[in-house]
Amino acid sequence: MLTTNPFDDDKLREECGIFGVSGASGAAALTALGLHALQHRGQEAAGITSFDGTLFHTHRAMGHVAGNFDRDDVIRGLPGEVACGHVRYSTTGETALRNVQPLYADLSTGGFAIAHNGNISNAMKLRRELVRRGSIFQSTSDTETIIHLVATSNYRTLLDRFIDALKQVEGAYSLIVMTPEGMIACRDPLGIRPLVMGRLDGAVIFASETVALDVCGATFERAVEPGELVIVQGTEIRSIHPFQAVDARPCIFEWVYFSRPDSIAGDQSVYSVRKEIGAQLALEAPVDADLVIPVPDSGVPAAIGYAQASGIPFELGIIRSHYVGRTFIQPGDKVRHLGVKLKHNANRALIRGKKVVLIDDSIVRGTTSLKIVQMMREAGAAEVHMRIASPPTRHSCFYGVDTPERAKLLAAKLDLGGMTDFIHADSLSFVSIEGLYKALNAARGDKPSYCDACFTGDYPTTLTDHDESSTVDQFAMLAERVA
């Protein structure tokens, strides 16, 4: 089996996408529409849970929203005016239906459904403690830890139990929770993962990105604030801030790659920010070239910005096919190699004899960049220069992004010259961390205003599970050396 998406396989995987609606007739159908708009955030599985005032109804499936939630029989099986949904790319837990969200449990307070975007960085430690106290887990997802913390809390009301649970977790979370009493939407105190709120004919809607509001015809009201819990009963809302206030650190990679370019994040157009990153890159890393070529599709806005700032013509030198399935059976190595070109192919007539600047959003393992440079060489490019619209990715993410372990990150292993040689480019440059912040109209001072740990190693929270795992690994290595 070969993935026919070779340029996307070497990307940092989007975390997940969540969507919720309260007070709308046909809430499940609206949720399915919203999940379509968030499909880029998770393409492994999807699920929707609805509440009809008496019973909870859930449908979860592996694969995309289309094909699973565009059937009348499925939507009819999800009645009610309240619903929440989730698209998933697993960052913790195995790829299995039992891990597909929303997760649901019957608690002493009634039904409890939860959809989570992010990653609980002390989930394994909490899980061990809960199992010792008698909890029985039904999934390997870190999200289920929250359910058990709520179930075992000594507080009386469900809201207090939920707050008690959240005060025990570390890491990143944007959550939509459904109970018989109503819906709760919240973000972690640092606001690492995004969540916005909108209205549609009185109904209250929550989504990971504003594009989901646009697609379902809702009006954007505001972002859910870091550390805020928004409690919805029908169409009435109230807000509380139960956590100690801290300086927010939203994930900077939302503007670089994760969010759709037609979304608004942090009151800024994602598309405009990406163009400005490209312009900064042109100022910091100019090159004598004939063409600026984006790596489709995520490199397009930055390439436009680079071309406009440099005066070098922008051209589509790599053509992407949108009609190829994700995988297909390969009978041999020769066909497997040719299969790479099913999804992306060089525009040979344009490239031959030209000095080209390739613009991409990031380099992870470097294997994708190597393929792209090779493609340009085979198409007859005279020179191939690579420009990257983010700083070098040198550190793993522990907040809901499926990052390779650090040893597999190209920038963690090699310096700039080594990376340039590895991808066989004539030159390679990354936008600086200062240039990235400038594109966001911010400055990286003593207290950075974004989570940029994948570039800098400056993690905004403790990393209990990772630190404990590292300690175990160190002891194991020491024991091996002693033996």
Side-chain angles (χ1 to χ4, degrees):
M1 196 75 79
L2 167 75
T3 176
T4 58
N5 198 356
F7 289 3
D8 293 339
D9 285 348
D10 193 26
K11 298 291 187 184
L12 297 181
R13 296 287 187 174
E14 304 95 325
E15 330 80 49
C16 295
I18 58 176
F19 186 94
V21 55
S22 177
S25 176
L30 200 60
T31 300
L33 193 61
L35 293 182
H36 272 288
L38 300 173
Q39 186 73 84
H40 61 287
R41 299 186 72 89
Q43 300 174 40
E44 184 179 277
I48 294 176
T49 297
S50 70
F51 181 61
D52 63 10
T54 304
L55 298 174
F56 287 84
H57 309 268
T58 296
H59 183 81
R60 301 181 296 165
M62 305 304 297
H64 290 187
V65 179
N68 286 312
F69 291 96
D70 54 2
R71 292 161 35 201
D72 288 341
D73 60 321
V74 171
I75 297 301
R76 283 198 304 269
L78 297 167
E81 294 189 352
V82 184
C84 70
H86 187 272
V87 288
R88 179 177 192 261
Y89 181 83
S90 59
T91 57
T92 65
E94 63 184 328
T95 301
L97 190 60
R98 64 176 176 159
N99 286 331
V100 180
Q101 298 185 30
L103 298 182
Y104 176 82
D106 284 306
L107 306 184
S108 62
T109 53
F112 186 92
I114 183 170
H116 172 205
N117 171 209
N119 191 56
I120 307 303
S121 57
N122 64 337
M124 292 305 299
K125 180 179 181 181
L126 291 170
R127 185 185 181 108
R128 288 194 298 269
E129 294 171 352
L130 286 161
V131 169
R132 274 197 296 267
R133 286 156 46 189
S135 292
I136 300 173
F137 280 74
Q138 302 298 314
S139 77
T140 57
S141 169
D142 61 325
T143 309
E144 191 181 353
T145 304
I146 298 173
I147 296 176
H148 288 276
L149 290 173
V150 173
T152 58
S153 173
N154 292 322
Y155 284 85
R156 186 178 62 84
T157 69
L158 177 62
L159 181 59
D160 287 337
R161 288 184 174 197
F162 184 54
I163 294 169
D164 179 42
L166 294 183
K167 287 183 176 179
Q168 297 177 62
V169 305
E170 66 182 35
Y173 56 82
S174 283
L175 303 170
I176 296 175
V177 169
M178 288 169 50
T179 76
E181 299 175 12
M183 177 175 283
I184 305 172
C186 66
R187 292 174 75 190
D188 66 78
L190 289 164
I192 298 174
R193 300 267 70 91
L195 192 63
V196 297
M197 181 171 65
R199 289 272 190 173
L200 177 63
D201 298 327
V204 182
I205 296 179
F206 299 99
S208 293
E209 295 183 37
T210 60
V211 66
L213 302 178
D214 296 339
V215 167
C216 67
T219 301
F220 169 70
E221 287 205 342
R222 65 179 179 87
V224 176
E225 297 173 5
E228 180 185 19
L229 272 70
V230 181
I231 301 121
V232 185
Q233 292 177 303
T235 60
E236 300 300 316
I237 66 172
R238 64 188 178 98
S239 169
I240 60 174
H241 291 77
F243 310 109
Q244 181 178 351
V246 294
D247 293 329
R249 294 278 297 273
C251 173
I252 203 166
F253 225 88
E254 290 288 345
W255 287 268
V256 173
Y257 175 64
F258 292 145
S259 293
R260 264 181 45 165
D262 45 344
S263 281
I264 304 295
D267 296 326
Q268 297 191 77
S269 159
V270 173
Y271 177 79
S272 296
V273 169
R274 288 179 187 167
K275 279 183 62 179
E276 185 57 33
I277 294 172
Q280 288 294 322
L281 188 54
L283 293 173
E284 295 180 0
V287 62
D288 178 20
D290 302 309
L291 302 174
V292 174
I293 295 174
V295 177
D297 287 322
S298 56
V300 171
I304 293 172
Y306 192 101
Q308 290 177 349
S310 65
I312 302 172
F314 169 95
E315 295 286 357
L316 296 179
I318 301 172
I319 305 302
R320 176 178 178 179
S321 170
H322 293 268
Y323 305 102
V324 180
R326 187 163 180 80
T327 60
F328 69 101
I329 301 298
Q330 299 293 323
D333 288 340
K334 184 177 180 180
V335 177
R336 184 177 296 111
H337 173 71
L338 293 175
V340 169
K341 296 184 178 180
L342 283 176
K343 195 82 174 185
H344 299 84
N345 192 42
N347 191 347
R348 289 176 173 271
L350 181 73
I351 293 167
R352 189 178 297 113
K354 299 295 198 310
K355 294 182 288 185
V356 302
V357 186
L358 291 168
I359 309 293
D360 205 355
D361 59 87
S362 61
I363 289 182
V364 183
R365 295 178 181 89
T367 53
T368 291
S369 300
L370 177 61
K371 291 175 185 175
I372 300 168
V373 172
Q374 181 182 359
M375 181 183 288
M376 295 294 101
R377 301 278 191 208
E378 291 175 351
E383 294 178 12
V384 183
H385 303 272
M386 198 82 175
R387 295 294 181 266
I388 306 300
S390 65
T393 303
R394 294 194 172 98
H395 304 272
S396 297
C397 176
F398 301 97
Y399 302 122
V401 180
D402 186 46
T403 316
E405 57 190 64
R406 194 177 181 213
K408 295 181 180 179
L409 295 171
L410 192 68
K413 299 185 294 183
L414 301 173
D415 61 12
L416 184 62
M419 287 190 283
T420 306
D421 292 341
F422 179 87
I423 66 173
H424 297 168
D426 290 287
S427 71
L428 170 67
S429 290
F430 298 78
V431 74
S432 66
I433 190 70
E434 293 79 15
L436 180 57
Y437 270 74
K438 188 173 181 180
L440 282 156
N441 295 313
R444 194 180 196 282
D446 295 334
K447 293 183 178 181
S449 48
Y450 297 92
C451 177
D452 54 21
C454 55
F455 307 132
T456 66
D458 181 1
Y459 295 99
T461 75
T462 51
L463 302 170
T464 299
D465 290 342
H466 174 261
D467 293 342
E468 288 184 355
S469 175
S470 298
T471 301
V472 170
D473 290 344
Q474 290 168 8
F475 278 122
M477 291 171 61
L478 178 61
E480 188 175 311
R481 286 198 297 269
V482 170

